[in-house]
Amino acid sequence: MYGVFHAGYGSSHNPYGWRESLFAVGIPAGEPSVSLLSKRGDFLYNTRVMKSLNEDLKTGQFKQIYLLCGEEGYLKKQYKERFVKAMLPEGDTMNYAYYEGKNTDIKEVIDLAETLPFFAERRLIVFENTGFFKSSGSELADYIGEMPPTTYFIFIENEVDKRSRLYKAVKSKGHIVELGIQDEATLRKWVAGLVRKENKEMSQADIAYFLNKVGTDMENITGELEKLFCYAMDRDTLTRADVDAVCVTQITNHIFEMVNAVAEQNQKKALDLYYDLLALKEPPMRILFLMTREYRLLFHVKALAEQGYGRKEIASKAGIHPFAAGRYLDQAKRFRLGELRSIMEEGAQIEQRVKTGLLTDSLAVELFIVRQSGKKA
């Protein structure tokens, strides 16, 4: 939905329940690059920039404008919710407005921003994914220089153009924070902290296994941990068997396992994983696309490794999470560059045969898997 406006933010109770309590878990003070805000441990952060947000929340000394951008949606959502609660009195729906989408009316926003707060210290306007920082934000950029001191803005955006006038205006008057995907070490420590919060234990090896299975999206991690805690409610230790019993493998990790099985010449396992995905209603051509993309990533990773790049550089250049780079490097060792190129070409040929009606999609992908897993190493 675009151009959505909501006045007021409803009841003051926590609608996210356990998930907010998850975010309230940090890493013990003294851990490198990670800290707690206070005794309550309100926010996990691993950059100096994020530390300044925590300091604003702790002291109540707020900037007039905040821009929260970057790839980690979970962190953006949590910071947005905490700032709204911290900046407005409990239950104040008169001085809060929320705009969402690319059709947000800037003139309407400015009219509202000019309105004095109703028996309160400030009026807060929150914008989410408006696209103002990519285009059409010039009028708002001009207004920011003269907005009344009682009006506060919070922008939450997936993508921004740092060359835009609005970005520069916000930078000069407010605070910009990029909330990116968290690295492997931070995620492991974060999960360990959440486990301790529930008075449970989990080995580092099993935490790594858990993250490999569920992925690195923090929102998804919280949901999978919730299931894990409920499943092992009567036990103090969480194990790999518990993870396998209740946690859902992300499709990208499922595809990774299929490619691994192909590389090991384990045809039965590769086909079983394929049938599992079909049972989950995954379209065969999507599975083929994801497998081909996986081989393309392996080709890229192997080529970079042969050029002498290290793990972090490979992760950056290949566009993958540093947490996954090690797995791709290990898997790439099982293939030759020429072999990977041939597999990608065959994937394209299979797709063409399906499009021209020579093969059905499910049979075509099955034959592709059989052919690859039946090759000699």
Side-chain angles (χ1 to χ4, degrees):
M1 183 177 292
Y2 296 102
V4 178
F5 164 67
H6 303 284
Y9 58 92
S11 61
S12 59
H13 74 284
N14 170 25
Y16 294 91
W18 183 85
R19 292 198 177 197
E20 182 173 354
S21 71
L22 268 181
F23 198 65
V25 179
I27 307 304
E31 293 283 6
S33 301
V34 184
S35 180
L36 297 179
L37 165 65
S38 65
K39 292 180 180 178
R40 292 187 300 111
D42 284 288
F43 278 90
L44 167 71
Y45 59 88
N46 69 340
T47 68
R48 293 180 180 177
V49 179
M50 291 171 71
K51 182 177 180 180
S52 64
L53 288 180
N54 297 331
E55 190 65 25
D56 291 352
L57 285 161
K58 180 179 180 180
T59 63
Q61 301 297 313
F62 302 113
K63 309 296 187 298
Q64 195 172 4
I65 307 173
Y66 289 93
L67 167 59
L68 309 178
C69 56
E71 299 175 328
E72 185 48 74
Y74 178 80
L75 290 177
K76 288 188 294 185
K77 184 180 77 172
Q78 294 293 333
Y79 272 112
K80 176 189 72 176
E81 291 170 359
R82 294 304 293 266
F83 267 101
V84 170
K85 291 179 181 180
M87 294 175 77
L88 292 175
E90 183 176 338
D92 183 358
T93 61
M94 297 293 294
N95 298 299
Y96 175 80
Y98 174 81
Y99 289 90
E100 179 185 12
K102 295 182 179 179
N103 291 336
T104 298
D105 189 332
I106 292 181
K107 292 186 183 298
E108 179 183 324
V109 169
I110 292 175
D111 286 343
L112 181 61
E114 285 292 298
T115 306
L116 290 173
F118 185 74
F119 292 108
E121 181 182 350
R122 63 177 64 88
R123 175 176 297 281
L124 177 61
I125 303 177
V126 177
F127 307 85
E128 190 150 6
N129 293 327
T130 60
F132 286 161
F133 291 85
K134 298 284 284 184
S135 61
S136 73
S138 296
E139 188 176 352
L140 198 55
D142 293 335
Y143 175 71
I144 279 176
E146 55 190 45
M147 61 190 288
T150 54
T151 296
Y152 287 70
F153 286 167
I154 297 178
F155 295 93
I156 300 97
E157 299 286 337
N158 290 333
E159 296 181 358
V160 297
D161 183 350
K162 296 182 180 180
R163 301 167 299 177
S164 68
R165 289 180 59 199
L166 183 56
Y167 185 93
K168 293 174 182 177
V170 171
K171 186 176 181 180
S172 66
K173 191 167 184 176
H175 189 34
I176 298 175
V177 178
E178 293 188 33
L179 300 172
I181 300 297
Q182 303 300 288
D183 61 27
E184 176 183 352
T186 299
L187 287 175
R188 287 190 183 190
K189 291 170 185 174
W190 182 57
V191 171
L194 302 179
V195 171
R196 285 196 299 271
K197 177 72 174 180
E198 295 296 313
N199 296 316
K200 296 184 182 297
E201 297 179 353
M202 192 174 190
S203 72
Q204 285 297 313
D206 287 346
I207 289 176
Y209 180 80
F210 167 77
L211 289 172
N212 276 328
K213 187 177 182 71
V214 306
T216 55
D217 179 83
M218 294 177 74
E219 187 76 35
N220 188 60
I221 290 172
T222 61
E224 295 301 317
L225 275 176
E226 182 174 3
K227 292 193 296 185
L228 201 56
F229 293 151
C230 291
Y231 180 75
M233 187 178 296
D234 299 327
R235 289 185 281 110
D236 295 333
T237 303
L238 303 176
T239 67
R240 184 171 301 198
D242 297 328
V243 173
D244 287 334
V246 298
C247 294
V248 177
T249 303
Q250 290 293 94
I251 185 169
T252 51
N253 292 328
H254 210 111
I255 297 294
F256 186 92
E257 289 180 23
M258 285 177 62
V259 172
N260 224 27
V262 168
E264 294 171 348
Q265 308 296 292
N266 190 338
Q267 192 172 95
K268 182 180 184 305
K269 182 179 179 181
L271 287 172
D272 285 345
L273 290 166
Y274 173 56
Y275 299 144
D276 286 346
L277 287 174
L278 292 180
L280 292 171
K281 307 298 184 184
E282 285 293 337
M285 295 311 292
R286 172 169 160 76
I287 296 172
L288 178 63
F289 165 77
L290 291 172
M291 288 190 72
T292 305
R293 187 180 69 173
E294 198 78 2
Y295 284 115
R296 190 178 299 113
L297 271 173
L298 288 172
F299 181 87
H300 197 182
V301 166
K302 188 170 186 69
L304 290 169
E306 290 188 357
Q307 292 173 40
Y309 288 102
R311 176 173 165 176
K312 289 185 178 180
E313 292 174 307
I314 289 174
S316 176
K317 289 181 177 295
I320 56 179
H321 194 285
F323 186 78
R327 291 196 302 159
Y328 279 103
L329 280 166
D330 290 339
Q331 194 178 65
K333 293 175 183 177
R334 304 182 180 206
F335 297 92
R336 299 182 301 275
L337 280 176
E339 184 182 3
L340 289 169
R341 186 183 291 108
S342 296
I343 293 174
M344 289 187 291
E345 291 172 354
E346 186 169 340
Q349 292 169 6
I350 289 284
E351 182 180 0
Q352 185 62 28
R353 289 176 187 172
V354 172
K355 287 180 177 179
T356 56
L358 295 176
L359 288 171
T360 62
D361 54 2
S362 57
L363 177 60
V365 179
E366 184 172 333
L367 289 174
F368 177 72
I369 294 171
V370 168
R371 181 173 171 82
Q372 301 310 321
S373 58
K375 288 182 176 180
K376 294 182 180 180

